[in-house]
Amino acid sequence: MIRTVTLKSGREASIKRMHPWIFSGAIQKADEGIIEGDLVHVLDAKGAFVAQGHFSSGSLAVKVLSLSEETIDDHWFAQRLNEAKSLREVLGFPDKHTNAYRLVHGEGDGLPGLIIDIYADTAVIQPHSKGMERLLQTLSITLIEMGFKNTIHKPTGKGTTSVLVGAVSERIQIRENDMIFNVDVVNGQKTGFFLDQRESRALIGKYARDKNVLYVFSYTGGFSIAAALAGAKKVISFDASSKALDIAMENAALNNCSEVHSVIKGDAVKYLESLSETF
């Protein structure tokens, strides 16, 4: 039995305009017994069906999955993942130049509360809601059926990364616009790498040639490598994390640009303030 949430009068308007969030202040009442992550039906003040989605006890009370009364089950989620994969294929991912990309981008793929990043043949699942967290096995099985060899659960916050299927080491080697990067999917930030900066890393090539480049808050040196390969004379990666800088040096070696690349560990704000005194 699917429990229901009833909205205050007029609060269904934004949902009908395809907004995928329902805040707690819009809710008039909710059935007893609803727990975090449950699938609920959302009704308007007159009792008519409006949407269905995952329930949360926080201020963002429902993340909308569908505006119809269709059955949302394992098959439904598998279909959404395959639709996301088909869209990436239309966009050209993966190809011989790039094999790391975002497969599922939450609301953009009709799956609010879910991020799935692909690193070569490994899929990293990062749920941002209890509802999606409860679907980890379903999502993992589908991803394996789609052809990925390994699946990982990378929780938000301080949770422990766990391998769902396959065997994954701390380093996964990926290719992005013909650059090679080592990615730490187990301990790294986010899912291991900032895939959303792919186009920006490509853009830096227009500005870096024959320049000295300082990349502050560099993490594992993505922009540093792009600048070095674009012809920068000298590139410095600056970060507070020794582990991140170790990977930055690995990435420089992988791309044969260690001669122009170096690292500095320290407090970036203090370092920039000290530089400002020279100008």
Side-chain angles (χ1 to χ4, degrees):
M1 174 183 173
I2 298 179
R3 292 181 167 85
T4 63
V5 169
T6 302
L7 302 176
K8 296 175 182 177
S9 180
R11 294 300 186 96
E12 72 280 1
S14 64
I15 306 168
K16 291 182 177 180
R17 293 195 300 267
M18 309 295 288
H19 197 290
W21 297 348
I22 299 172
F23 292 95
S24 58
I27 295 175
Q28 181 67 46
K29 63 177 181 179
D31 287 349
E32 292 184 3
I34 300 175
I35 62 174
E36 193 86 9
D38 276 355
L39 181 68
V40 296
H41 280 186
V42 180
L43 311 179
D44 65 18
K46 296 180 180 179
F49 176 88
V50 177
Q52 55 181 322
H54 285 147
F55 180 81
S56 171
S57 58
S59 61
L60 204 173
V62 181
K63 291 188 174 182
V64 175
L65 296 170
S66 176
L67 300 183
S68 74
E69 293 186 75
E70 62 187 321
T71 300
I72 295 182
D73 54 13
D74 290 356
H75 175 75
W76 186 92
F77 283 101
Q79 185 175 6
R80 285 292 173 94
L81 290 188
N82 277 283
E83 288 172 356
K85 184 172 184 288
S86 295
L87 175 59
R88 272 61 185 184
E89 289 170 350
V90 169
L91 296 172
F93 301 108
D95 64 14
K96 65 180 181 179
H97 306 288
T98 299
N99 64 359
Y101 57 96
R102 179 151 292 179
L103 175 66
V104 173
H105 196 170
E107 288 81 356
D109 289 291
L111 292 166
L114 180 64
I115 296 296
I116 301 178
D117 283 343
I118 303 302
Y119 296 99
D121 57 5
T122 296
V124 181
I125 308 169
Q126 188 171 64
H128 288 257
S129 71
K130 191 66 175 180
M132 289 300 181
E133 187 177 317
R134 286 162 60 175
L135 288 162
L136 281 172
Q137 290 302 321
T138 293
L139 298 170
S140 179
I141 290 169
T142 299
L143 289 164
I144 295 301
E145 291 174 346
M146 290 164 62
F148 300 106
K149 293 182 180 180
N150 312 295
T151 58
I152 298 174
H153 169 216
K154 185 73 181 285
T156 57
K158 297 182 179 180
T160 302
T161 299
S162 59
V163 177
L164 302 173
V165 175
V168 179
S169 62
E170 287 189 2
R171 298 286 198 277
I172 293 178
Q173 194 169 106
I174 65 166
R175 183 176 294 274
E176 179 189 275
N177 293 325
D178 290 326
M179 296 181 288
I180 303 170
F181 294 106
N182 276 344
V183 177
D184 183 352
V185 297
V186 176
N187 302 304
Q189 295 181 35
K190 304 296 183 180
T191 62
F193 198 67
F194 290 89
L195 294 175
D196 59 333
Q197 295 299 309
R198 178 180 59 248
E199 299 305 320
S200 296
R201 282 187 286 269
L203 182 63
I204 197 173
K206 294 184 178 181
Y207 307 102
R209 179 170 296 278
D210 298 324
K211 301 291 193 308
N212 293 326
V213 178
L214 171 64
Y215 181 20
V216 182
F217 304 106
S218 63
Y219 187 41
T220 57
F223 280 92
S224 300
I225 304 308
L229 293 179
K233 292 190 298 183
K234 181 180 180 181
V235 181
I236 298 174
S237 296
F238 192 110
D239 202 272
S241 168
S242 296
K243 291 182 178 179
L245 292 175
D246 286 344
I247 299 177
M249 289 190 290
E250 292 174 14
N251 290 335
L254 286 170
N255 291 278
N256 299 312
C257 57
S258 297
E259 288 186 4
V260 298
H261 176 261
S262 59
V263 301
I264 299 176
K265 179 182 181 297
D267 185 312
V269 174
K270 291 182 179 179
Y271 183 71
L272 290 174
E273 288 174 345
S274 71
L275 290 180
S276 68
E277 296 175 1
T278 66
F279 292 95

CSV table of all heavy atoms in Angstrom, one decimal, residues 154 183-184 187-194 215-222 237-239 241 243-248:
chain,number,residue,atom,x,y,z
A,154,LYS,N,29.2,5.3,-3.1
A,154,LYS,CA,30.0,6.4,-2.5
A,154,LYS,C,29.0,7.3,-1.8
A,154,LYS,O,28.3,8.1,-2.4
A,154,LYS,CB,30.7,7.2,-3.6
A,154,LYS,CG,31.7,8.3,-3.1
A,154,LYS,CD,32.9,7.7,-2.5
A,154,LYS,CE,33.9,8.7,-1.9
A,154,LYS,NZ,34.6,9.4,-3.0
A,183,VAL,N,42.3,8.3,-10.7
A,183,VAL,CA,41.2,8.8,-9.8
A,183,VAL,C,41.0,7.9,-8.6
A,183,VAL,O,41.0,6.7,-8.8
A,183,VAL,CB,39.8,8.8,-10.6
A,183,VAL,CG1,38.7,9.3,-9.7
A,183,VAL,CG2,39.9,9.8,-11.8
A,184,ASP,N,41.0,8.5,-7.4
A,184,ASP,CA,40.8,7.8,-6.2
A,184,ASP,C,39.3,7.8,-5.9
A,184,ASP,O,38.7,8.7,-5.3
A,184,ASP,CB,41.5,8.4,-5.1
A,184,ASP,CG,41.4,7.7,-3.8
A,184,ASP,OD1,40.6,6.7,-3.7
A,184,ASP,OD2,42.1,8.0,-2.8
A,187,ASN,N,38.6,7.2,-1.7
A,187,ASN,CA,38.8,8.3,-0.7
A,187,ASN,C,38.7,9.7,-1.2
A,187,ASN,O,38.7,10.7,-0.5
A,187,ASN,CB,40.2,8.1,-0.1
A,187,ASN,CG,40.4,6.8,0.6
A,187,ASN,OD1,39.6,6.4,1.4
A,187,ASN,ND2,41.4,6.0,0.1
A,188,GLY,N,38.5,9.8,-2.6
A,188,GLY,CA,38.5,11.2,-3.2
A,188,GLY,C,37.3,12.0,-2.9
A,188,GLY,O,36.3,11.4,-2.4
A,189,GLN,N,37.3,13.3,-3.2
A,189,GLN,CA,36.2,14.1,-3.1
A,189,GLN,C,35.1,13.8,-4.1
A,189,GLN,O,35.3,13.2,-5.1
A,189,GLN,CB,36.6,15.6,-3.3
A,189,GLN,CG,37.6,16.1,-2.2
A,189,GLN,CD,37.9,17.6,-2.5
A,189,GLN,OE1,37.1,18.3,-2.9
A,189,GLN,NE2,39.2,17.9,-2.2
A,190,LYS,N,33.8,14.1,-3.7
A,190,LYS,CA,32.7,13.8,-4.5
A,190,LYS,C,32.7,12.3,-4.9
A,190,LYS,O,32.9,11.4,-4.0
A,190,LYS,CB,32.6,14.7,-5.8
A,190,LYS,CG,32.6,16.2,-5.4
A,190,LYS,CD,31.4,16.6,-4.6
A,190,LYS,CE,31.3,18.1,-4.4
A,190,LYS,NZ,30.1,18.5,-3.6
A,191,THR,N,32.7,12.0,-6.2
A,191,THR,CA,32.8,10.6,-6.6
A,191,THR,C,34.2,10.2,-7.0
A,191,THR,O,34.5,9.1,-7.4
A,191,THR,CB,31.9,10.3,-7.8
A,191,THR,OG1,32.2,11.0,-8.9
A,191,THR,CG2,30.4,10.5,-7.4
A,192,GLY,N,35.2,11.2,-6.8
A,192,GLY,CA,36.6,10.9,-7.1
A,192,GLY,C,37.2,11.9,-8.0
A,192,GLY,O,38.4,12.2,-7.9
A,193,PHE,N,36.4,12.6,-8.8
A,193,PHE,CA,36.9,13.5,-9.8
A,193,PHE,C,35.8,14.5,-10.1
A,193,PHE,O,34.6,14.1,-10.1
A,193,PHE,CB,37.4,12.8,-11.1
A,193,PHE,CG,38.3,13.6,-12.0
A,193,PHE,CD1,39.6,13.9,-11.5
A,193,PHE,CD2,37.9,13.9,-13.2
A,193,PHE,CE1,40.5,14.5,-12.4
A,193,PHE,CE2,38.8,14.6,-14.1
A,193,PHE,CZ,40.1,14.9,-13.7
A,194,PHE,N,36.2,15.7,-10.5
A,194,PHE,CA,35.2,16.7,-10.8
A,194,PHE,C,34.9,16.7,-12.3
A,194,PHE,O,35.3,17.5,-13.1
A,194,PHE,CB,35.7,18.1,-10.4
A,194,PHE,CG,35.7,18.3,-8.9
A,194,PHE,CD1,36.9,18.0,-8.2
A,194,PHE,CD2,34.6,18.7,-8.2
A,194,PHE,CE1,36.9,18.1,-6.8
A,194,PHE,CE2,34.6,18.9,-6.8
A,194,PHE,CZ,35.8,18.6,-6.1
A,215,TYR,N,47.6,26.9,-10.1
A,215,TYR,CA,46.3,26.3,-9.9
A,215,TYR,C,46.1,26.1,-8.4
A,215,TYR,O,46.6,25.2,-7.8
A,215,TYR,CB,46.2,25.0,-10.7
A,215,TYR,CG,44.8,24.3,-10.6
A,215,TYR,CD1,43.7,24.9,-10.2
A,215,TYR,CD2,44.7,22.9,-10.9
A,215,TYR,CE1,42.5,24.3,-10.1
A,215,TYR,CE2,43.5,22.2,-10.8
A,215,TYR,CZ,42.4,22.9,-10.4
A,215,TYR,OH,41.2,22.3,-10.3
A,216,VAL,N,45.3,27.0,-7.8
A,216,VAL,CA,45.0,27.0,-6.4
A,216,VAL,C,43.8,26.1,-6.1
A,216,VAL,O,42.8,26.1,-6.8
A,216,VAL,CB,44.9,28.4,-5.9
A,216,VAL,CG1,44.6,28.4,-4.3
A,216,VAL,CG2,46.1,29.2,-6.2
A,217,PHE,N,43.8,25.4,-4.9
A,217,PHE,CA,42.8,24.4,-4.6
A,217,PHE,C,42.8,23.4,-5.7
A,217,PHE,O,41.7,23.1,-6.3
A,217,PHE,CB,41.4,25.1,-4.4
A,217,PHE,CG,41.3,26.2,-3.4
A,217,PHE,CD1,41.3,27.5,-3.8
A,217,PHE,CD2,41.4,25.9,-2.0
A,217,PHE,CE1,41.2,28.5,-2.8
A,217,PHE,CE2,41.4,26.9,-1.1
A,217,PHE,CZ,41.3,28.2,-1.5
A,218,SER,N,43.9,22.9,-6.0
A,218,SER,CA,44.1,22.1,-7.3
A,218,SER,C,43.5,20.7,-7.2
A,218,SER,O,43.4,20.1,-8.2
A,218,SER,CB,45.6,22.0,-7.6
A,218,SER,OG,46.3,21.3,-6.6
A,219,TYR,N,43.3,20.2,-6.0
A,219,TYR,CA,42.9,18.8,-5.8
A,219,TYR,C,43.9,17.9,-6.6
A,219,TYR,O,45.1,18.0,-6.3
A,219,TYR,CB,41.5,18.6,-6.3
A,219,TYR,CG,40.9,17.2,-6.0
A,219,TYR,CD1,41.1,16.6,-4.8
A,219,TYR,CD2,40.1,16.6,-7.0
A,219,TYR,CE1,40.5,15.3,-4.6
A,219,TYR,CE2,39.5,15.3,-6.7
A,219,TYR,CZ,39.8,14.7,-5.5
A,219,TYR,OH,39.2,13.5,-5.3
A,220,THR,N,43.5,17.1,-7.5
A,220,THR,CA,44.5,16.1,-8.1
A,220,THR,C,45.0,16.7,-9.4
A,220,THR,O,45.6,15.9,-10.2
A,220,THR,CB,43.8,14.8,-8.4
A,220,THR,OG1,42.6,15.0,-9.2
A,220,THR,CG2,43.4,14.1,-7.0
A,221,GLY,N,44.9,18.0,-9.7
A,221,GLY,CA,45.6,18.6,-10.7
A,221,GLY,C,45.0,18.5,-12.1
A,221,GLY,O,45.7,18.6,-13.1
A,222,GLY,N,43.7,18.4,-12.2
A,222,GLY,CA,43.1,18.3,-13.5
A,222,GLY,C,43.4,19.5,-14.4
A,222,GLY,O,43.8,19.3,-15.6
A,237,SER,N,50.6,23.1,-8.9
A,237,SER,CA,49.4,22.7,-8.2
A,237,SER,C,49.5,23.0,-6.8
A,237,SER,O,50.4,22.5,-6.1
A,237,SER,CB,49.1,21.2,-8.5
A,237,SER,OG,48.9,20.9,-9.8
A,238,PHE,N,48.6,23.8,-6.2
A,238,PHE,CA,48.6,24.2,-4.8
A,238,PHE,C,47.4,23.6,-4.1
A,238,PHE,O,46.2,23.9,-4.5
A,238,PHE,CB,48.6,25.7,-4.7
A,238,PHE,CG,49.0,26.2,-3.3
A,238,PHE,CD1,50.2,26.8,-3.1
A,238,PHE,CD2,48.1,26.1,-2.2
A,238,PHE,CE1,50.6,27.3,-1.8
A,238,PHE,CE2,48.5,26.5,-1.0
A,238,PHE,CZ,49.7,27.1,-0.8
A,239,ASP,N,47.6,22.9,-3.0
A,239,ASP,CA,46.4,22.3,-2.3
A,239,ASP,C,46.9,22.0,-0.9
A,239,ASP,O,48.1,21.9,-0.6
A,239,ASP,CB,45.9,21.0,-3.0
A,239,ASP,CG,44.5,20.7,-2.6
A,239,ASP,OD1,44.3,20.0,-1.6
A,239,ASP,OD2,43.6,21.1,-3.3
A,241,SER,N,46.0,19.2,0.7
A,241,SER,CA,45.9,17.7,0.8
A,241,SER,C,47.2,17.1,0.2
A,241,SER,O,47.4,17.2,-1.0
A,241,SER,CB,44.7,17.1,0.2
A,241,SER,OG,44.8,15.7,0.1
A,243,LYS,N,47.6,13.9,-0.1
A,243,LYS,CA,47.2,12.8,-0.9
A,243,LYS,C,46.7,13.2,-2.3
A,243,LYS,O,47.0,12.6,-3.3
A,243,LYS,CB,46.0,12.0,-0.2
A,243,LYS,CG,46.4,11.2,1.0
A,243,LYS,CD,45.3,10.5,1.6
A,243,LYS,CE,45.7,9.7,2.8
A,243,LYS,NZ,44.6,9.0,3.5
A,244,ALA,N,46.0,14.4,-2.3
A,244,ALA,CA,45.6,14.9,-3.6
A,244,ALA,C,46.8,15.3,-4.4
A,244,ALA,O,46.9,15.1,-5.7
A,244,ALA,CB,44.7,16.1,-3.4
A,245,LEU,N,47.8,15.9,-3.8
A,245,LEU,CA,49.0,16.4,-4.6
A,245,LEU,C,49.8,15.2,-5.0
A,245,LEU,O,50.4,15.2,-6.1
A,245,LEU,CB,49.8,17.3,-3.7
A,245,LEU,CG,49.2,18.7,-3.4
A,245,LEU,CD1,50.1,19.5,-2.4
A,245,LEU,CD2,48.9,19.5,-4.7
A,246,ASP,N,49.8,14.1,-4.3
A,246,ASP,CA,50.5,12.9,-4.7
A,246,ASP,C,49.9,12.4,-6.0
A,246,ASP,O,50.6,12.0,-7.0
A,246,ASP,CB,50.4,11.8,-3.7
A,246,ASP,CG,51.3,12.0,-2.5
A,246,ASP,OD1,52.2,12.9,-2.6
A,246,ASP,OD2,51.1,11.3,-1.4
A,247,ILE,N,48.5,12.4,-6.1
A,247,ILE,CA,47.9,12.0,-7.3
A,247,ILE,C,48.1,13.0,-8.5
A,247,ILE,O,48.3,12.6,-9.6
A,247,ILE,CB,46.4,11.8,-7.1
A,247,ILE,CG1,46.1,10.7,-6.0
A,247,ILE,CG2,45.7,11.4,-8.4
A,247,ILE,CD1,44.7,10.5,-5.7
A,248,ALA,N,48.2,14.3,-8.1
A,248,ALA,CA,48.5,15.3,-9.1
A,248,ALA,C,49.9,15.0,-9.8
A,248,ALA,O,50.0,15.1,-11.0
A,248,ALA,CB,48.5,16.7,-8.5
